[in-house]
Structure formats: C-alpha cells, structure tokens
Amino acid sequence: MSRPRSDVSSAGDPMRPADHADAAEPSGDVNQPALGFVGWLRWGWRQLTSMRTALVLLLLLAIAAVPGSLVPQRSADPNGVTQYFTDNPELAPVLDNLSMFDVYTSPWFSAIYILLFVSLVGCVIPRTKHHWKALRATPPRTPARLSRLDVHRTETLEYTDDQAAAAAASASIEAAQQQLKKAGYRVARDDSRGVLSVSAERGYMRETGNLVFHASLVGVLLAVGIGGGFTYTGQTVIIEGRTWVNTMLDYTSFNPGRFVDENSLTPYALTLDRFDVTYQPRGTQGEGQAGDFVANLTTQRAGGAPGSGEVRVNHPLEMAGDRIYLMGNGYAPTLTIRDAAGEVVFSESVPFLPQDTNMTSLGVVKVPDGLDEQMGLVGFFYPTQVQRQDGAFTSAYPALTNPVVTLDVYTGDLGIDGGVPRSVYTLDTGEMDKLTGRGTDVESIEIAPGETAELPGGLGSITFENEAPDGASGYDESVKRYVSLSVHRDAAATWVLVFAVLATAGLLAALFVPRRRMWVKATPQGHTVQLEYAGLARGEDPTLDAAVEQFVQRHLASLPDG
Amino acid sequence: MPESSALTLESVSVLLVWTAIAIYALAFVAYAVDLARRGAVAVDAKGAAKTEDARELVAAGSGYAGSTGSRAGVIAAMRAQEEASEAALNAPIGRRERLVWARIGTSLTVLAFLFHLGGDVTRGIAAGRVPWSNMYEFALTGTLLVVAVYLGVLFRYDLRFLGSFITGLTVVLLGASALSFYVEITPLMDPLKSVWLVIHVFVASLSTALFALAFGLSVLQLMQARRERVLAAAPDADGPTVKSGPGFLRTLPGADALEALAYRFAILGFIFWTFTLIAGSIWANDAWGRYWGFDTKEVWTFVIWVLYAGYIHARATRGWRGARSAWLSIIGFTAVIFNFTIVNMFFKGLHAYSGLE
Ligand code: HEM
C-alpha cells in the first residue's frame, strides 16, 4: 500500500537514521569513515545510532532475556538455585561463572541494554531537535511534477472565458486552503508564474508520539535505576496476638536500596488480632483449597490513635508510605517446656513452615538455656493428622480437625553461641545426640493441644498448650496462626507507571496518526482550469488513497459551477 | 459434581465445546478445499492465457519476438492479477468473489463460533466467574477471541484465504486443551481474585488473536515473495516446469500488500501486548509486592514485546523490510504460542495457574 518511495519524500528527513527505510539511498561515500580520529568517532556514533544497530540490539535483548527463564534466578527463586547446584554439581558452577543465575544483572545483559539506551538517546536527541524546528516550519513547496507522487488526481473544469477561469482557479485554491486547514493540516500558499497551489501537511503528532514513546522508555529505565536506590523490602512474621514494630530489630530480613537510611524508618506498630482463611469443604471440587485470606491488624503510628487494617491477597495495606503484603501463613503451636523440677525453661508459639497444601508443617524448637545441656526439637505439625499406608503421618486437611505435633529431641550444642547466624527453621544436629525417633529406641513425642508428654531421659516435660478461647468447639482455634508479611517502600513504582502510560500514549500516536502531505494545484489554461491533487505518505499510511479521494470529492462539491 | 447429575451446566459446556471443535474441523476442510480450488482455477486461467500467447506467437511469426512478448505478457498478467486480488481483498462484503467453498467454510466457522461462545459462557456461568483462570479456560477463551477477531476482520477485508489457518489453529489448540488441560471447575485461587485478571488475560488473548492473523499473513507473504522471485527469474516465465509454490498463491494479493496488512495487525497486537504488560505489572504489584521480577512468564511476555518492537523496527530499516521482517513476525508468534503452551506447562514460576498437577 502507500509508502513513500519517491525522491520527494527522502529529501526532507534528515532526522531519521541514515538507514531508515524511507531515507535516501546511501551515496557510496556516506558510510566511509572520514580520515582522522574525529572522523572515526563520528562514524562509530552513526553506526551506534543507526536503525540496524537498534534492531540488532533489540533482538539481542530478546535472546539474552531467555536464559533467565530456563535457569532459576537468585533474585526470584534463591531456593531453586540451591537446588540446581545440588542437582547439577558439574554444570552449575560453569553456569554461575557466566552469571546464568543472575541474568538480569549480569555484565552481558547490562551491556546490551545500556548500549541500546545509549543508541536510543543518540537517536532521539537529534530527532527531537529536528522535530522542534519542523513544528514551526511551513509545509514544503509544491513539487513541480505532482504526478510523480504516491497519489495523484487531475480534474479539468471548463469556464465561459479566460477571466472566469482565472478567478475560479484562485477561488478553488482559496477553498482548498480553508478546507485543508479545517481538516487539521498546516497550510501554505505557493504561487508562481500563473500557477496557484496550496501545500499542506498534517500528522506532526506521529513524530511527537514516537519521540515521547522512546523518551518514556528512557524514563522507565531511569525511574527503575534511581528509584531502586530508595526502595526497600523487609520480611517479618507476626503471630496472632503479637505486635510487630517497624524497626530493623523486628525484621527477619531486610533488603535496602543504596540510599535507604536504615535508622530512620517511620515508626509504627502492627498487631495481628486474627488471621482468617476459608478452606473448600471436604467432598467438593478443590477440597482443602485455601482462600479469602485476611490478616486483621491493629495499626498504631507513633503518637497516633490505634486504627485497624486488613491485609489481603491483591490488597496490600498502605501504612506511612509503605505497602504491606501478605506473603504466607501457617500454624504456630504454643509449646511449654519444663525441666525435671517443673520450672518453665521455654514457652513460646513457634511458627511451623507449611510443607504442603494440607498444611503439614515443619518446625524447630531451640532451648539454649535452663537445662544442663542445650536442647533442640525438630518435628511436624499436622492440623488433621492421618496415617499413610507406609505408616508415616501426614495431614489430610488444612483446618484443625485433629491437630497433632510430633517431635524428636536432640541434646548437645545448638551451635548458636558462636555468633554465626542460624535460621530459626533449621536445626544443625552435627554436634547433638538424638534421643527419640528413628535410630533410637525411644518413640517420638506425639501430643495434641492440651496434652503433655515426658521428655526422654528424665529431662522434664513438654506441653502443647490449647489456645482455644472458652466455649470453642472441638479443636477450633486451639492452635495460633501466624502470617508472614512483606513490607515494601517502592519509590520507583509510581514513576514507572507514569512513564509506561506516557509511552503507551506516545505509541498510539506514533503508530496510528497518519502523517501526510497534500497539495492542490490550479493551472488556468485558456478558459479551463486544471486542478491537480496529490498526496504523499510519510511513514505507514494505509488510508492515504481514501483521504485524497475524499478531499477531492469534497473540494469539487464546494466549487461553484463554471 | 458433573458425574452426579446427568446434565450440569459444566457438562453442557463440555458438550458445546466438543461440538464446536467438530464443526471447526469441517470448516477447516471446506477452507482447504477452497484453497485447492483457487489453485485449480488459477491454473485454468493460466492455461487460457497460454493459448492466447500461442496464437500471438503464430501471428507474429517469429519465435524470438514471440517469447519476449509472451514473457512481458505474463508479467503484465501477473501485475493485473495482483491488482485484482488487492481489490478483492478490500472489496466490501456484498461485492466479494463467490467462492462457494470459502462461503461454506465461513458459515461453518460462524456456526462453530456460536457453539464455542455457548461453551465459554456456560463455563463462566457454571463457575460463577470469568472463564479464564486456568489453562483450559485460557485456551477456551483465547481461541474464541482468535475466531472472533478473524470473523470481525472479515467485515473489512476478505481474508478468507486465512480461514484454514485460523480454523486449523483453533482445532489444534482447543482440541489439545480439551483433551489434556481439562479440569473441573474449582473456586478461584486468591491471587486471581482481581479485576486485573479480567483485563490482563482478556487483552493478552486479544493481542494473541491479532498476532495470529499477522503470522498467517507473514507466512503467505514469504511464500508469495518466493513465488514472485521465482517467476521473475524464470528463463521462460510461463514454463510449467517452474515450481513457485502452491497454486492458490496466484489468487492472493502480492507480497507487498500482504506485508502491509500483516504489519497493521501486528501493530494493533503490539499495542494490546504493551497494555498486557502494563496491566500485568500493576497486578503483580498488588499481588506479589513488586511490579517486575523477571518471573518466567514475565520474561516471556517481555521477550515477545521486544521481538515485536524489533519487527516494527525491521519494517523501518532498509534491507530488513520484506522477508526479514516477516521472519520476525513469525518468530514473534512462535514465541507467543511457546509462552502459552510450553512455558505454562513446564516452566517453574509464580504464574502457576494452569490448574494442572
Ligand atoms: C528500548 C529500545 C527500543 C524500543 C522498545 C523501540 C520501539 C519502537 C517502536 C514500538 C516503534 C514504533 C512506534 C513508532 O513508530 O514510534 C519504534 C519506532 C522507531 N524507533 Fe524505536 N525502539 C527502541 C530503540 C530505538 C533506537 C535505539 C532507535 C534509534 C536508532 C530507534 C529509532 C526508531 C525510529 C526511527 C522509529 C520510527 C520508525 C518508523 O518511522 O516507522 N528506536 N521504536
């Protein structure tokens, strides 16, 4: 369909890269580097800002992004990376050397997008300058031979005499000028030697849109880069009834951007009053599927009155510029351990990590003080305990129908005294002796809420506290729940969105606003007037034909009969 | 539960979908017959033109003059054919060629589409939510939109020569999904309870449909370009020995026109894909606390976006317009299909909503 091929089109477009499809053919010496250092520099810059380079870099970017979906990434899936190292001990270190586990921060990926954006800026700046001038320039003069353009029509009108024809020629160009102007064209008269013509151009928004689009992409990149420095995310766990305070101490992990001051977090506190969840009833499709998670919180800002807030999936809580997300939940059985004399040496609600959709959960209890030796317990919590065919326990349903904790007891050195950080969810049994469970001749501890069991070797006892309020039925609410929350301050998100929306708007204009030139020329010849109409697409313009045709019809209809 | 009572809405939906698949298959056959007959008709026309040339040859009485004359004649005939098929492409509905088999194909496609729509709507009603929240439902609604866009576009362009591609694609995707992705209705998982599910997935399917049309046109463009090349280079342009591709190509618009049309669908698709990307990020920011994390599905959405940006650039780069840019459109759509099938099924990530175990 219409696309400018004629020499007329290429003449006035120095703003586009030289190898743009619509640009003039290279005249041989154009791509040859001029002599000298500056010449080489200029040549290199022209290469970098050429369409072909942009294209190649775009394709490279697409290809370079793929490995990150094939191999687990440290940023998105750190456990996956650990697993990968275990599964592929030979291959993993090789891949690691190639930054395959950090593709999107790797030197080669960065090199591609940085080059792409340098090219982009190098491309956009000269075009912006040129477009700025074009916006205030008058449309180009009428070409001598309109018949060489993409679309061309001629009409011959007859009049009574020469004078009438001359007057009609002038009137028709006047009318054409008005009509084009009304249709959103910028118009200019171009009369010479008895030939009258109007030259018109429209669709400057196309180029504006293109520039806005490309510039907004730079905006997105800058927002991500700069905003990232002011962004932080932190994780924490709150058990029902407990309060969490927004200070470094209370986070289980915290990832600050470069410019974040960890000591000046906005002080506020959150108390988890209750965590709600519903499970698909047994015997229905999707049995046990959890949904409608809600963490009901009491919020308290420094010096303010307490308020209430909810955190749900898809609905984070806004708090002093932070957004608080619900990332997970689980059971936190309350366990009390007494020594042989009956003294309490440990009493806490211990968050157990869910292992499956029925909330079979893994937990660790560490008792560093109060006993002769340090003690550790590892075990499972089953909200609905059942026995599998092979004799092992599992949970058959995620709600509390038959809650049981099973624990194995270890004594020895917990390995936490050396100051080396240890996860609260793992027990390093290297320096410890196993006292119960497989490999020993003592059964594992197995207790339901409200029950107490003896610890082996006369060490004392352990109680699984029943937390149900008075009047609760069955085991409802007998075990506390906890939520894991993620606290985010994202300085970039808003700006990224603004630039993304700008980019889309620019793109719409750049792709769908037709940019075209139109000329109407009137040549009086004796008692006739020859009217010529011509249209030229500048860029993709599938409707040029129809637009010229429509204009011709309207223009002819508006002329007084000769 | 579907098996407990004879006819639940859910099982009605399944019946409707399978009926639709069967009718799409018939439509595919009808469209394929149409293409084959176009080829035959074109050969007949060419045969007639040849006799015509032979007569000229005799009249001219000179073998040399005759052969050049015949060659020019063939090229002129080719140009005329190209113009005629471009006019046919843009012909308004009432004034289109009466291609009987294409008509049968389109009627069957419309019929199948109605069953398909019925299957989709009943699934949605039975589930009490939008019917696009697991693999099976994505396929159900996605292919519905592909067909809808195709039928919608028919009002403007006579693209019935893409009919066998569209119905074939639909039969394969929908059939495979009904066979291997089917899951009974389960309640929505929490992260999916969002208006962004409605918007994001719908827009993504829409752009997939547009990319599919662009893909079909780009493939035809390459075949057509090859044919034009072969014909232009053939020593004797009308020699029956020259193999220049399937016969129906003679009745299609020229490579340039196909390219321009492919481009228009691709840029529309690109706009919607951009929107998909943005809507997805907004949703991710609500659901997971970050708008972008290079999760596998995000990576592929990004890769597809960049590929099509590359395609648009290629169209504007000297030396890339034409065949090379067409390959980018083909690669882009391959990535779209790959993203929907392989990535959903085998790649690990947060977007684990296929509903499959
Ligand atoms: C982040 C990388 C880039 C992306 C995603 C991108 C994307 C796009 C898109 C979608 C278009 C079509 C919309 C329009 O016509 O305005 C376009 C057009 C264009 N881009 Fe880019 N671009 C990128 C980088 C560049 C670079 C580095 C250059 C300079 C060499 C460039 C030069 C152009 C030009 C000249 C056009 C107009 C094409 C025409 O006239 O049809 N782009 N780009």
Side-chain angles (χ1 to χ4, degrees):
Chain A
M1 300 184 179
S2 341
R3 71 165 107 117
R5 279 206 201 84
S6 57
D7 48 352
V8 192
S9 70
S10 41
D13 256 346
M15 67 205 175
R16 284 172 166 154
D19 61 343
H20 189 281
D22 292 344
E25 288 287 332
S27 52
D29 57 309
V30 169
N31 285 334
Q32 296 302 313
L35 290 174
F37 181 65
V38 177
W40 277 101
L41 270 186
R42 197 170 283 150
W43 179 83
W45 181 248
R46 194 156 49 219
Q47 293 307 307
L48 185 61
T49 57
S50 72
M51 289 298 281
R52 196 162 295 129
T53 306
L55 175 55
V56 168
L57 288 173
L58 273 172
L59 296 183
L60 275 179
L61 186 69
I63 295 169
V66 171
S69 73
L70 304 174
V71 179
Q73 297 296 296
R74 288 211 172 83
S75 57
D77 183 13
N79 298 333
V81 177
T82 316
Q83 189 63 41
Y84 198 92
F85 268 86
T86 318
D87 295 347
N88 309 281
E90 308 266 293
L91 186 60
V94 180
L95 293 182
D96 203 15
N97 279 335
L98 298 171
S99 307
M100 280 296 182
F101 302 107
D102 312 275
V103 165
Y104 307 103
T105 49
S106 68
W108 42 276
F109 190 81
S110 311
I112 293 173
Y113 78 76
I114 289 171
L115 269 181
L116 182 58
F117 274 86
V118 170
S119 167
L120 181 56
V121 171
C123 197
V124 161
I125 290 177
R127 290 180 66 182
T128 310
K129 274 196 214 147
H130 182 275
H131 188 54
W132 185 253
K133 283 196 207 117
L135 276 177
R136 49 215 65 227
T138 49
R141 309 192 55 165
T142 311
R145 274 180 296 164
L146 286 179
S147 54
R148 292 179 58 187
L149 296 177
D150 293 349
V151 186
H152 181 242
R153 299 254 185 297
T154 43
E155 292 284 336
T156 309
L157 306 179
E158 295 207 18
Y159 294 90
T160 47
D161 55 36
D162 293 14
Q163 245 157 14
S170 165
S172 69
I173 291 300
E174 197 62 41
Q177 186 174 1
Q178 294 306 324
Q179 285 171 18
L180 283 167
K181 200 165 186 173
K182 236 167 134 191
Y185 284 79
R186 178 172 305 163
V187 291
R189 284 292 292 267
D190 186 7
D191 302 340
S192 62
R193 279 178 273 116
V195 180
L196 309 177
S197 77
V198 57
S199 158
E201 177 154 6
R202 58 148 289 158
Y204 297 86
M205 274 304 282
R206 188 184 185 88
E207 181 68 5
T208 309
N210 182 302
L211 294 172
V212 167
F213 168 75
H214 285 90
S216 301
L217 293 184
V218 181
V220 168
L221 192 73
L222 288 182
V224 170
I226 298 173
F230 295 97
T231 293
Y232 59 78
T233 63
Q235 283 71 41
T236 186
V237 164
I238 314 182
I239 299 163
E240 280 178 328
R242 298 272 196 85
T243 297
W244 170 87
V245 180
N246 186 26
T247 60
M248 285 306 295
L249 278 181
D250 260 13
Y251 281 106
T252 51
S253 67
F254 192 77
N255 320 307
R258 192 167 308 165
F259 311 121
V260 172
D261 179 0
E262 299 180 1
N263 299 316
S264 58
L265 301 181
T266 320
Y268 59 84
L270 304 173
T271 307
L272 180 64
D273 301 324
R274 208 180 64 251
F275 175 74
D276 293 333
V277 55
T278 58
Y279 298 111
Q280 267 316 100
R282 291 181 147 176
T284 63
Q285 257 306 309
E287 164 182 316
Q289 183 183 312
D292 300 325
F293 306 103
V294 192
N296 299 282
L297 302 168
T298 298
T299 60
Q300 170 87 60
R301 298 179 70 156
S308 67
E310 273 182 10
V311 185
R312 288 186 289 137
V313 181
N314 278 322
H315 300 278
L317 176 71
E318 306 266 349
M319 190 77 200
D322 290 353
R323 302 227 300 168
I324 296 159
Y325 294 87
L326 182 61
M327 303 308 276
N329 71 90
Y331 289 101
T334 309
L335 300 172
T336 303
I337 296 173
R338 292 183 174 79
D339 64 13
E343 287 292 323
V344 174
V345 293
F346 178 94
S347 183
E348 267 178 46
S349 299
V350 183
F352 276 50
L353 276 183
Q355 306 293 305
D356 62 25
T357 51
N358 282 326
M359 303 294 280
T360 301
S361 310
L362 176 70
V364 166
V365 179
K366 294 178 185 175
V367 188
D369 307 307
L371 298 172
D372 295 342
E373 261 188 308
Q374 290 188 326
M375 183 168 74
L377 298 93
V378 188
F380 288 96
F381 171 70
Y382 312 96
T384 301
Q385 187 203 37
V386 292
Q387 196 157 20
R388 288 198 317 226
Q389 301 253 284
D390 63 3
F393 293 129
T394 186
S395 174
Y397 192 68
L400 296 169
T401 25
N402 181 29
V404 170
V405 161
T406 63
L407 292 164
D408 282 329
V409 183
Y410 294 80
T411 54
D413 183 2
L414 284 171
I416 55 178
D417 300 332
V420 185
R422 296 264 186 257
S423 165
V424 291
Y425 297 110
T426 55
L427 186 67
D428 179 1
T429 56
E431 301 289 314
M432 305 189 86
D433 299 319
K434 193 172 187 187
L435 302 186
T436 65
R438 186 171 301 160
T440 70
D441 46 11
V442 187
E443 297 247 311
S444 301
I445 294 170
E446 187 181 334
I447 39 179
E451 292 180 357
T452 299
E454 292 297 315
L455 291 170
L459 286 171
S461 68
I462 178 165
T463 306
F464 185 175
E465 307 288 352
N466 188 338
E467 298 275 5
D470 295 340
S473 73
Y475 281 114
D476 274 358
E477 299 184 53
S478 59
V479 183
K480 286 196 177 184
R481 291 176 173 274
Y482 72 91
V483 293
S484 46
L485 298 179
S486 193
V487 179
H488 295 207
R489 155 90 35 131
D490 196 334
T494 317
W495 287 104
V496 172
L497 182 62
V498 167
F499 283 120
V501 169
L502 262 179
T504 313
L507 193 60
L508 280 169
L511 291 176
F512 298 111
V513 171
R515 179 144 189 207
R516 61 173 73 116
R517 289 182 182 157
M518 199 128 53
W519 291 276
V520 185
K521 197 194 273 187
T523 320
Q525 288 164 334
H527 71 289
T528 65
V529 175
Q530 195 192 28
L531 282 178
E532 280 182 89
Y533 303 87
L536 175 72
R538 308 195 59 216
E540 220 58 50
D541 186 2
T543 53
L544 179 69
D545 267 317
V548 173
E549 188 54 41
Q550 195 188 18
F551 178 76
V552 172
Q553 297 311 329
R554 205 177 315 138
H555 183 240
L556 287 177
S558 74
L559 296 182
D561 293 331
Chain B
M1 306 237 69
E3 62 269 27
S4 58
S5 70
L7 218 59
T8 61
L9 213 49
E10 188 173 349
S11 52
V12 168
S13 164
V14 173
L15 269 178
L16 288 172
V17 169
W18 277 108
T19 313
I21 294 174
I23 305 176
Y24 279 131
L26 291 178
F28 170 77
V29 172
Y31 275 132
V33 171
D34 170 56
L35 285 186
R37 286 179 54 105
R38 286 177 191 233
V41 168
V43 166
D44 286 351
K46 195 174 159 189
K50 237 167 146 185
T51 355
E52 202 62 15
D53 284 342
R55 261 188 232 125
E56 270 171 31
L57 224 143
V58 173
S62 149
Y64 291 109
S67 84
T68 46
S70 120
R71 173 136 194 208
V74 168
I75 290 185
M78 207 171 108
R79 290 270 171 278
Q81 170 63 52
E82 231 169 60
E83 259 167 47
S85 34
E86 233 172 281
L89 177 72
N90 286 295
I93 285 198
R95 270 183 271 142
R96 280 183 192 162
E97 248 181 290
R98 298 176 55 88
L99 299 163
V100 176
W101 283 96
R103 280 194 171 189
I104 297 176
T106 307
S107 312
L108 286 173
T109 308
V110 171
L111 186 66
F113 174 76
L114 293 177
F115 277 98
H116 193 169
L117 182 67
D120 201 50
V121 170
T122 43
R123 173 86 184 186
I125 295 174
R129 53 171 165 75
V130 288
W132 53 86
S133 54
N134 55 47
M135 251 320 245
Y136 170 70
E137 293 175 6
F138 294 150
L140 192 60
T141 307
T143 49
L144 185 78
L145 279 169
V146 170
V147 179
V149 168
Y150 164 71
L151 290 175
V153 165
L154 281 190
F155 284 101
R156 172 68 183 79
Y157 298 108
D158 188 357
L159 281 187
R160 287 177 295 174
F161 52 82
L162 281 183
S164 55
F165 163 64
I166 294 293
T167 49
L169 182 76
T170 307
V171 169
V172 170
L173 285 182
L174 195 54
S177 306
L179 278 178
S180 28
F181 299 160
Y182 184 79
V183 285
E184 285 169 8
I185 291 173
T186 54
L188 223 46
M189 285 194 272
D190 257 30
L192 292 177
K193 291 175 188 156
S194 166
V195 282
W196 293 107
L197 167 70
V198 182
I199 300 169
H200 172 71
V201 178
F202 186 81
V203 178
S205 307
L206 208 56
S207 44
T208 302
L210 292 160
F211 286 150
L213 286 177
F215 166 83
L217 289 163
S218 295
V219 170
L220 289 178
Q221 175 202 333
L222 284 179
M223 293 166 74
Q224 191 71 296
R226 179 169 170 274
R227 173 174 163 269
E228 287 167 5
R229 228 178 18 252
V230 170
L231 285 188
D236 182 6
D238 61 348
T241 47
V242 180
K243 186 80 193 92
S244 59
F248 65 81
L249 286 178
R250 279 181 217 119
T251 67
L252 299 192
D256 278 355
L258 289 171
E259 175 175 9
L261 202 57
Y263 177 77
R264 295 177 72 180
F265 288 122
I267 56 176
L268 265 179
F270 184 73
I271 288 283
F272 285 121
W273 198 258
T274 307
F275 198 75
T276 304
L277 205 63
I278 296 175
S281 301
I282 295 176
W283 185 11
N285 197 32
D286 283 348
W288 300 323
R290 86 286 184 294
Y291 51 87
W292 195 261
F294 284 109
D295 179 57
T296 47
K297 201 79 186 171
E298 292 169 349
V299 170
W300 279 93
T301 308
F302 174 73
V303 166
I304 290 163
W305 189 78
V306 174
L307 281 175
Y308 278 97
Y311 165 71
I312 293 172
H313 268 224
R315 277 265 307 159
T317 306
R318 184 171 327 111
W320 277 76
R321 206 170 250 225
R324 288 203 198 175
S325 68
W327 275 110
L328 282 180
S329 153
I330 292 170
I331 293 170
F333 185 65
T334 313
V336 170
I337 294 293
F338 184 82
N339 186 27
F340 174 70
T341 54
I342 309 292
V343 175
N344 272 6
M345 286 188 288
F346 300 115
F347 285 36
K348 196 170 157 243
L350 288 169
H351 286 74
Y353 304 126
S354 68
L356 308 172
E357 297 292 302

